[in-house]
Amino acid sequence: MWTEKDNSLQASFEFKDFVDAFAFMSKVALIAEKMDHHPNWSNVYNKVEITLTTHDADNTVTEKDRKLAAAISELL
């Protein structure tokens, strides 16, 4: 699911419709806020693209990214 590329963790998610995609994003937002580590993401209809990188670590993948990726994966 997650791919490490260009100093980031990247994943694409596809849902039944926009409502399911937005519900997923809402759940991710709550987790990210609690972890104080926020994703770069985009949403078009039923697709959500997420990129994780740690900005204060020179935009590299850190344990923060791996933990957030694992938490996001648990939502599925």
Side-chain angles (χ1 to χ4, degrees):
M1 170 184 320
W2 291 94
T3 303
E4 191 162 341
K5 181 180 173 188
D6 300 327
N7 291 322
S8 65
L9 291 177
Q10 301 175 12
S12 298
F13 304 91
E14 189 168 333
F15 299 92
K16 182 181 76 169
D17 56 25
F18 177 74
V19 172
D20 285 351
F22 197 85
F24 170 75
M25 292 179 73
S26 295
K27 291 174 188 175
V28 171
L30 293 172
I31 292 168
E33 187 65 17
K34 187 179 265 189
M35 294 176 78
D36 192 30
H37 191 57
H38 305 92
N40 293 321
W41 59 8
S42 66
N43 164 244
V44 176
Y45 184 59
N46 67 333
K47 294 181 179 143
V48 177
E49 305 279 334
I50 299 178
T51 301
L52 302 176
T53 189
T54 302
H55 304 294
D56 58 1
D58 295 322
N59 292 315
T60 60
V61 175
T62 67
E63 191 60 26
K64 285 181 172 183
D65 302 301
R66 296 187 195 291
K67 286 181 180 179
L68 181 53
I72 291 169
S73 295
E74 288 179 17
L75 295 173
L76 302 173

